[in-house]
């Protein structure tokens, strides 16, 4: 668990590592919910944008999170599944 502080204006800072892990950007909005005395923050889905660059259409999508961490987790799962029980 990570401890964070709330400043005098009520703002809190989500640590960079967690933002990267979840793919949260500074321009992104979050949904805030209070459930059983807990604060739950969830990234709102961002729509993909299509832009024309010259004669090509370019799709811009929100970040998928920390891709390196995802690959490392999948790699570790694969290694563990190959080890004898």
């Amino acid at each position: 668990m990570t401890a964070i502080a709330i400043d005098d204006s009520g703002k809190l800072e989500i640590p960079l590592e967690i933002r990267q892990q979840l793919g949260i950007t500074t321009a992104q909005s979050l949904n805030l919910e209070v459930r059983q005395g807990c604060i739950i923050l969830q990234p709102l889905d961002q729509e993909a944008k299509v832009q024309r660059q010259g004669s090509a259409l370019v799709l811009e999508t929100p970040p998928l999170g920390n891709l390196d961490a995802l690959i490392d987790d999948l790699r570790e799962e694969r290694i563990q599944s190959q080890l004898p029980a």
Side-chain angles (χ1 to χ4, degrees), residues 10-37:
K11 295 178 184 177
L12 58 92
E13 182 176 326
I14 300 171
L16 177 61
E17 181 180 290
I18 293 173
R19 291 192 316 253
Q20 289 175 335
Q21 180 182 359
L22 297 174
I24 297 172
T25 64
T26 55
Q28 188 171 2
S29 295
L30 302 175
N31 184 48
L32 184 142
E33 180 181 346
V34 177
R35 190 182 312 153
Q36 298 177 349

Side-chain angles (χ1 to χ4, degrees), residues 47-81:
E47 293 183 19
K49 297 177 185 174
V50 178
Q51 294 184 3
R52 181 171 295 282
Q53 291 184 1
S55 61
L57 291 176
V58 178
L59 177 66
E60 294 180 10
T61 62
L64 299 174
N66 187 338
L67 191 55
D68 290 333
L70 177 62
I71 291 170
D72 289 343
D73 291 345
L74 291 172
R75 184 175 291 132
E76 183 63 26
E77 284 178 21
R78 183 174 291 164
I79 289 169
Q80 293 301 319
S81 72

